[in-house]
Amino acid sequence: MTTPWWRHAAIYQIYVRSFADGNGDGTGDLAGVRARLPYLRELGVDALWFNPWYTSPMADAGYDVADYRDIDPLFGTLAEAEQLITEAHEHGLRVLVDLVPNHCSDQHVWFQQALAAGPGSPERERFWFVPGKGPDGALPPNDWNSYFGGPAWTRITEADGTPGPWYLHMFAPEQPDLNWEHPEVREEFEDVLRFWLDRGVDGFRIDVAHGLAKAPGLPDVGPDPDITDLPYQDCAPVHDIYRSWRKLLDTYDGERVFVGEVWLPSPEQFARYLRPDELHSAFNFDFLCCAWDASALRGVVDSTFAAHAPVGAPPTWVLSNHDTIRHVTRYGREDTSFDMGDKRLRDASDPVLGRRRGRAAALLTLALPGGVYVYQGDELGLPEVQDLPDALLQDPTFVRSGGADRGRDGCRVPLPWKTTGTSFGFSTGDDTASTAAAPWLPQPAGWSALSAQAQEADPDSVLALYRRGLALRRELLVGLPESLTWVDAGPDVLVFDRGEGFRCVVNLGERPYELPAGATVLLASGGLSGGAVPQDTTVWITR
């Protein structure tokens, strides 16, 4: 029996705005993606995950959706999206789209109707409009805070100028939370799923998958909350939503899938989302956040398998995404861990060390059983851009935090494709400065050397490493048992076997690690010293 594709897939994340600009306006678009499909096929990934491409005012980079059934003009048209799906399939690439069900845009027709309809109207029941506390309802209904900083509530002014109720937004005020207790919300999103499934998408990445349901009565969090029992995440009714979605999805052929963005504190909570009648897989944020340390990495790998085993789901491995600091920069720091609550965006980083460790980490992730995600630019070894001018920052977390959190723009800088041009080939026509708009965020001058064109000519480049690694992964590892066996190699070296013939060695210590006699090196993230693996190097061997 053939293993389902999603249990071992290599999925490439496309942040459309920063991938490739096909019309020269400085913003990435679907035309740019379509032109780069041969590059993605040659890279060797199995599927593409697109961040939101829907109609949006872009208060939060498209995660404030105004119309779930159309493409924002910034990126193109619905007809272009349909053509892109078809062309991706012709290249052997599956397509996953981002679904944002926790909230919509304040410009969505439903929210505009709710504002216009007035107090007590059915239109307001699709959201969380709640009277405030205190004299004249001047205080928020509870003590919940937004993930982006500040209160999770905004008070409206009614049409007659009087103060109205407050509405819930766990993110920016422009992103009102939907009330998933309302049947019309359930019906609407099932229709949205059908809309895109009928157009051939192979699945959905579900934004804030743990957050849709809220605790009855919207109780206060309190001064000393239990992080495993918060009233705005992981509430029991959310699982009924995914069970109904899974029934719908399974009526379509072609192994369509759900991938959840599930940030939760306990493995037991996490695993419930991956039961056989709910989501297929979820992002492994514990691995992404882990420090570059042998003991810590082994612990996360073991805990990942332990969490997934009870529900029979495949693990996933990811190093970076559009919300986090690029791993090349994290691994070049003294403290190599990552925490969404304190990103330490100003911390110094050694780019040479970070790139060396990033190469080693890439081969580690590709060798592990399960699925793997590659964020656009990972395959070029791109670092975080830490010196963007304040005036250019667009992430709402920067504004909402009063500048304390510089936000996520540094990992969203447009990709460099060529060694020359006003945008290193990101925008069509960039060889002629007078005809090409500047990229929506500026690229560092040093990115010429990191461009895809520069790395194409270098057999030792990060791009070449990813291509070889993805090809060998598909050739040798897909189809092996979804398990590994650790080999004791000392405190600073990770060694594991996949089956009888494949071994992965990751040396994180200062002392070189001697390979066993007779070993054949399949691929190494860096140069070897005779038969020894130097520090911060990963090697794949057969024995």
Side-chain angles (χ1 to χ4, degrees):
M1 182 176 177
T2 304
T3 302
W5 71 272
W6 49 270
R7 296 190 71 92
H8 54 71
I11 300 177
Y12 187 93
Q13 179 187 356
I14 294 182
Y15 190 80
V16 179
R17 194 177 186 186
S18 299
F19 184 71
D21 170 19
N23 64 7
D25 66 356
T27 299
D29 49 36
L30 300 188
V33 177
R34 290 173 62 193
R36 299 293 179 179
L37 287 174
Y39 167 89
L40 295 166
R41 180 195 61 215
E42 187 176 353
L43 182 61
V45 295
D46 303 297
L48 311 176
W49 154 36
F50 289 87
N51 286 102
W53 54 16
Y54 315 108
T55 306
S56 169
M58 299 294 163
D60 182 26
Y63 282 92
D64 50 317
V65 181
D67 186 346
Y68 290 88
R69 297 177 183 83
D70 204 356
I71 301 298
D72 194 273
L74 195 66
F75 304 134
T77 65
L78 179 59
E80 283 185 279
E82 293 170 339
Q83 187 64 28
L84 171 56
I85 294 167
T86 298
E87 292 174 357
H89 288 164
E90 291 171 351
H91 283 282
L93 299 165
R94 298 176 188 262
V95 174
L96 281 69
V97 297
D98 222 312
L99 188 66
V100 190
N102 178 72
H103 49 265
C104 64
S105 167
D106 62 353
Q107 300 305 305
H108 190 284
V109 63
W110 275 8
F111 195 72
Q112 290 298 305
Q113 289 172 348
L115 293 177
S121 62
E123 289 84 354
R124 289 194 178 180
E125 293 177 3
R126 297 165 175 159
F127 300 90
W128 295 102
F129 283 92
V130 181
K133 292 182 177 180
D136 301 318
L139 299 176
N142 64 27
D143 63 355
W144 297 3
N145 284 321
S146 160
Y147 291 113
F148 286 169
W153 296 92
T154 291
R155 194 175 194 184
I156 68 167
T157 300
E158 300 289 7
D160 62 3
T162 61
W166 300 68
Y167 69 89
L168 177 66
H169 53 85
M170 291 306 302
F171 293 86
E174 296 88 353
Q175 297 167 289
D177 276 41
L178 290 155
N179 176 10
W180 275 88
E181 296 177 7
H182 198 294
E184 290 184 12
V185 175
R186 297 280 293 263
E187 293 166 5
E188 168 70 2
F189 276 88
E190 289 188 1
D191 190 72
V192 169
L193 291 174
R194 292 189 188 94
F195 180 89
W196 290 105
L197 289 167
D198 290 343
R199 280 155 181 76
V201 303
D202 300 282
F204 302 86
R205 178 265 190 185
I206 304 169
D207 185 58
V208 199
H210 56 280
L212 279 58
K214 309 298 191 289
L218 309 181
D220 283 346
V221 171
D224 187 23
D226 177 357
I227 61 172
T228 67
D229 189 27
L230 295 172
Y232 48 77
Q233 67 180 38
D234 194 40
C235 297
V238 75
H239 297 286
D240 180 58
I241 296 169
Y242 296 136
R243 282 190 288 269
S244 67
W245 284 12
R246 182 64 176 265
K247 288 178 182 178
L248 187 160
L249 193 76
D250 288 346
T251 65
Y252 286 80
D253 59 11
E255 295 183 327
R256 318 290 180 103
V257 299
F258 288 126
V259 181
E261 181 197 29
V262 182
W263 289 85
L264 288 171
S266 80
E268 292 79 17
Q269 291 174 291
F270 177 86
R272 286 197 289 265
Y273 291 78
L274 302 179
R275 288 175 290 198
D277 60 346
E278 295 192 39
L279 309 182
H280 296 77
S281 65
F283 293 111
N284 186 351
F285 292 113
D286 288 344
F287 185 82
L288 183 152
C289 295
C290 187
W292 185 247
D293 173 85
S295 176
L297 285 166
R298 178 166 176 170
V300 167
V301 171
D302 285 343
S303 65
T304 295
F305 281 111
H308 287 73
V311 289
T316 63
W317 313 100
V318 58
L319 296 171
S320 295
N321 66 29
H322 66 293
D323 285 332
T324 62
I325 294 172
R326 286 193 178 271
H327 63 272
V328 165
T329 295
R330 297 200 316 270
Y331 289 152
R333 295 169 167 175
E334 183 175 345
D335 179 355
T336 54
S337 64
F338 177 76
D339 183 347
M340 280 294 290
D342 182 11
K343 303 184 186 75
R344 297 178 287 113
L345 284 161
R346 300 280 193 183
D347 283 15
S349 177
D350 179 341
V352 175
L353 177 62
R355 193 160 291 114
R356 184 170 74 240
R357 288 174 170 172
R359 292 170 63 100
L363 286 197
L364 168 60
T365 62
L366 295 178
L368 290 165
V372 64
Y373 285 80
V374 179
Y375 177 46
Q376 63 180 45
D378 284 358
E379 79 280 14
L380 303 178
L382 296 184
E384 186 83 2
V385 180
Q386 296 178 275
D387 58 354
L388 291 170
D390 288 1
L392 297 181
L393 297 179
Q394 301 188 27
D395 191 338
T397 60
F398 175 71
V399 177
R400 296 274 293 172
S401 68
D405 184 338
R406 290 185 57 76
R408 300 160 293 176
D409 291 309
C411 65
R412 302 174 176 182
V413 174
L415 299 189
W417 291 98
K418 300 192 303 184
T419 57
T420 59
T422 56
S423 66
F424 302 125
F426 169 71
S427 291
T428 298
D430 78 344
D431 288 321
T432 307
S434 61
T435 63
W440 72 278
L441 285 175
Q443 303 151 302
W447 276 19
S448 171
L450 300 178
S451 67
Q453 183 183 45
Q455 297 197 37
E456 286 274 3
D458 181 2
D460 295 322
S461 67
V462 178
L463 178 59
L465 180 73
Y466 267 85
R467 285 178 173 170
R468 291 197 299 270
L470 286 162
L472 282 173
R473 182 179 185 272
R474 179 177 291 181
E475 177 184 339
L476 300 175
L477 302 183
V478 172
L480 291 180
E482 295 178 349
S483 60
L484 57 79
T485 302
W486 292 109
V487 178
D488 187 13
D492 296 320
V493 182
L494 297 176
V495 179
F496 61 85
D497 290 340
R498 297 274 312 273
E500 295 295 324
F502 177 86
R503 175 170 289 183
C504 178
V505 177
V506 189
N507 184 12
L508 293 87
E510 296 181 1
R511 297 181 58 183
Y513 176 79
E514 296 290 334
L515 293 175
T520 299
V521 175
L522 298 170
L523 186 58
S525 66
L528 304 184
S529 178
V533 182
Q535 186 176 21
D536 296 326
T537 302
T538 297
V539 178
W540 292 359
I541 62 173
T542 59
R543 298 172 288 114

